[in-house]
Amino acid sequence: MSMMGGTQARRAQLNREAVLSATPVRLLTMLYDRLLLDLNRAEAAQVVENWQVASENLIHAQAIVSELSTSLNVAAWEGGEGLFAIYTYVSNSLMSANIHRDVDRTRESIALLEPLRQTWHEAAELVPAQTMSAHLGGELGIA
């Protein structure tokens, strides 16, 4: 195995360990971070008309949005239905961005999701991990 291959394998192992040991709220922030990374990569690829890379990133972003929406307990808190509606809208926008090669739809999705990502990060910093874990099925509406 080459030095580069060994480094990549070690990085992948560390990423797996980070996910397996993360608290539920940390997993949520990790999902949002990856979602925005995918969308920014897709946008950059769309701008230079690299449709294959754009499509791969948009498809991965759709999978993350799907995971976020299926793990959301809309009845657990007042904003649950609104958040679910945002996820549904973004999911449809990402499909359209991919099918029609529409960078504006990708940018719109980034604009909708970036404030949510920031809010989840702020919430994670404010609430101690053990308290956050106790609330995940309840007040925050995350299964």
Side-chain angles (χ1 to χ4, degrees):
M1 181 182 287
S2 71
M3 178 68 99
M4 184 62 117
T7 301
Q8 289 174 342
R10 181 69 182 142
R11 182 175 296 135
Q13 178 63 30
L14 289 172
N15 286 340
R16 278 190 297 277
E17 290 171 7
V19 168
L20 292 173
S21 64
T23 63
V25 73
R26 179 68 184 125
L27 286 173
L28 181 66
T29 58
M30 291 168 77
L31 279 172
Y32 266 96
D33 288 345
R34 181 53 198 253
L35 175 57
L36 271 297
L37 177 65
D38 288 341
L39 292 176
N40 285 304
R41 286 177 175 170
E43 177 190 19
Q46 287 173 314
V47 168
V48 297
E49 298 183 359
N50 186 340
W51 305 119
Q52 180 64 35
V53 170
S55 180
E56 290 168 4
N57 282 281
L58 289 168
I59 289 169
H60 193 257
Q62 288 171 12
I64 294 172
V65 172
S66 176
E67 181 62 32
L68 289 169
S69 65
T70 58
S71 65
L72 178 64
N73 180 353
V74 297
W77 61 291
E78 197 173 293
E81 288 184 20
L83 186 55
F84 186 78
I86 291 171
Y87 290 155
T88 301
Y89 182 82
V90 167
S91 181
N92 291 330
S93 290
L94 295 179
M95 283 187 271
S96 180
N98 201 2
I99 292 168
H100 301 291
R101 298 178 172 178
D102 187 349
V103 70
D104 290 333
R105 297 299 296 259
T106 303
R107 289 176 177 151
E108 178 185 36
S109 296
I110 292 168
L112 287 169
L113 294 169
E114 180 57 39
L116 292 173
R117 184 191 76 81
Q118 187 61 38
T119 300
W120 282 116
H121 275 278
E122 290 169 7
E125 290 173 14
L126 293 175
V127 180
Q130 64 272 27
T131 304
M132 186 64 85
S133 295
H135 290 297
L136 284 178
E139 294 173 21
L140 296 179
I142 307 165

